[in-house]
Amino acid sequence: MPPQQHPQHLAPPVGAPAHADPRHAADRRRFPANPFRRSPGRKLRLGRIALVVVIALVVGTIGGVFYFDNKLHRVDALASYAGRPGPTPGTTWLIVGTDSRADLSQADKDRLATGDGDGSRTDTIMLVHKPPSGSPMIISIPRDLYVEIPGNGQHKINAAFNFGGPKLLARTVEQLTGLRLDHYGEVGFGGFADLVDAVGDVNICIDQSLNDPKAGLRLKKGCHDLNGTQALGLVRTRAFPNADLERVVNQRKFLSALMSKATSPGVVLNPFRLVPFVNGAVDSLTVDKNDHIWNLVGLAVALRGDPTTTTTPNAGSQYTGDGDSLMVGSNTEEFFGYLRAGKPIPDSLIENNGGAIE
């Protein structure tokens, strides 16, 4: 028998496409097209949307960086002068904490227990030094260190800021250490408290109870999440047997803890923490005219780990025309000599005892 033929009325017209065949239509009914299969056009649209999102994020990030960079307060702190040290190995920041109350309302002064003093003096002087290799260092320079202040004779080093502001203090520190300063950062009472509040409190453990009405501080022994007011009281208090020498230890440890918190995922990945912190930092800090927001980011990252912390070695106390002072000694010169040479500091010159922060 001849092969079975499909009825003529079911056959596609001559020249019609294959999909016009009713038999294919029946197949399509039995096996519908995959609804999740993306057409080339849809893929192209999704790719364009993703590209636009990426570009928007990049442009927004770059725009944010320059926006905050332009908001930074700047001063001519690291000016050139005859006899200035040449470039030294590594990178060195001069970090200054002042007792300025200029931007504080009376309510702020009462809340922070700052008193009503006029003028601006340096409560904190630190060097943050990142050597060519090895861990960064936080070096406290005691405010009672008796040094030569250019054009003013010998005085306690904190007088340099009062005599000539950031520029004279920076020059005094360079002449003392022989290091060329690369960056400058300054923060007042109110700015420091705002930074701590913006980052969302900082967890600190202390090995003794502290009660210092002058600093507005009352903390029990143990661990605490310190807000800005409490943190300011902790780094200001001198209620220790060795007063300022123990206070600077607390200041170094708190600075490291603050930077660790500021660079933690809980802050960096949370825009509700990151943006207020960055905004608070640029509003609170004063930097050198050549410093930028990315320099501050580098500083924070350098301090987030486990930096070596120490106090500048000295020859002990002596009574001077400025009262009880700490004298520069041969160990002071030896200490900074290692830094100038880019060499590690021997353990015998590292001093990190005292204070209350564990």
Side-chain angles (χ1 to χ4, degrees):
M1 293 180 66
Q4 186 176 359
Q5 300 291 326
H6 287 285
Q8 184 66 29
H9 68 275
L10 295 179
V14 177
H19 62 73
D21 192 331
R23 290 168 297 176
H24 291 280
D27 290 341
R28 288 197 298 274
R29 286 194 297 270
R30 289 195 301 270
F31 304 103
N34 183 358
F36 299 103
R37 183 180 179 184
R38 294 176 179 175
S39 66
R42 186 181 179 190
K43 290 181 180 179
L44 183 59
R45 288 195 299 272
L46 290 176
R48 287 174 177 172
I49 293 172
L51 179 60
V52 169
V53 170
V54 170
I55 292 174
L57 288 174
V58 171
V59 172
T61 300
I62 295 174
V65 167
F66 283 98
Y67 169 75
F68 286 119
D69 187 62
N70 288 332
K71 286 185 65 179
L72 279 170
H73 306 287
R74 291 182 169 89
V75 294
D76 186 15
L78 306 179
S80 297
Y81 57 87
R84 187 182 185 194
T88 43
T91 303
T92 305
W93 277 84
L94 174 60
I95 305 294
V96 177
T98 74
D99 62 1
S100 174
R101 302 159 176 84
D103 296 328
L104 298 181
S105 66
Q106 188 58 52
D108 290 332
K109 293 176 184 178
D110 294 339
R111 175 175 59 89
L112 300 174
T114 64
D116 294 307
D118 295 326
S120 183
R121 291 158 290 276
T122 47
D123 254 22
T124 303
I125 305 173
M126 291 182 188
L127 296 178
V128 175
H129 180 73
K130 188 176 181 181
S133 62
S135 64
M137 299 186 69
I138 305 177
I139 305 161
S140 296
I141 300 179
R143 67 177 193 171
D144 293 338
L145 194 65
Y146 199 65
V147 301
E148 182 71 25
I149 298 178
N152 294 273
Q154 287 196 310
H155 292 280
K156 292 181 180 182
I157 194 168
N158 70 329
F161 194 91
N162 197 39
F163 289 153
K167 187 180 295 187
L168 183 58
L169 176 62
R171 181 173 178 178
T172 301
V173 170
E174 287 188 332
Q175 295 299 293
L176 167 69
T177 64
L179 297 169
R180 188 184 185 97
L181 300 176
D182 301 294
H183 306 284
Y184 174 83
E186 175 192 324
V187 62
F189 280 165
F192 178 84
D194 290 343
L195 280 178
V196 177
D197 287 334
V199 86
D201 301 344
V202 177
N203 186 263
I204 292 292
C205 297
I206 55 176
D207 61 11
Q208 58 188 282
S209 295
L210 298 173
N211 183 15
D212 183 0
K214 292 182 178 179
L217 181 66
R218 188 179 184 87
L219 292 174
K220 291 183 178 180
K221 177 182 177 179
C223 297
H224 306 269
D225 289 325
L226 300 185
N227 60 30
T229 300
Q230 295 169 317
L232 180 62
L234 178 59
V235 299
R236 287 181 59 208
T237 183
R238 304 178 74 194
F240 304 103
N242 288 323
D244 193 55
L245 289 179
E246 295 196 59
R247 176 172 70 163
V248 296
V249 178
N250 288 334
Q251 291 171 346
R252 294 195 301 267
K253 291 181 178 179
F254 189 87
L255 176 62
S256 181
L258 176 61
M259 292 299 100
S260 292
K261 178 68 180 288
T263 55
S264 67
V267 174
V268 173
L269 301 180
N270 183 352
F272 297 103
R273 286 293 184 197
L274 179 62
V275 173
F277 177 74
V278 175
N279 194 61
V282 298
D283 285 342
S284 305
L285 292 171
T286 298
V287 297
D288 181 64
K289 65 178 184 179
N290 294 317
D291 287 327
H292 295 280
I293 193 75
W294 44 90
N295 300 128
L296 291 171
V297 172
L299 173 66
V301 171
L303 294 179
R304 73 177 308 272
D306 187 24
T308 300
T309 68
T310 187
T311 302
T312 300
N314 59 82
S317 61
Q318 182 176 316
Y319 195 82
T320 68
D322 288 1
D324 286 327
S325 306
L326 293 172
M327 309 308 293
V328 172
S330 58
N331 54 352
T332 313
E333 170 57 29
E334 183 182 6
F335 177 86
F336 288 115
Y338 281 103
L339 293 183
R340 292 194 299 270
K343 297 180 179 179
I345 304 293
D347 290 342
S348 59
L349 292 174
I350 299 294
E351 175 58 51
N352 195 35
N353 298 323
I357 299 178
E358 293 180 338

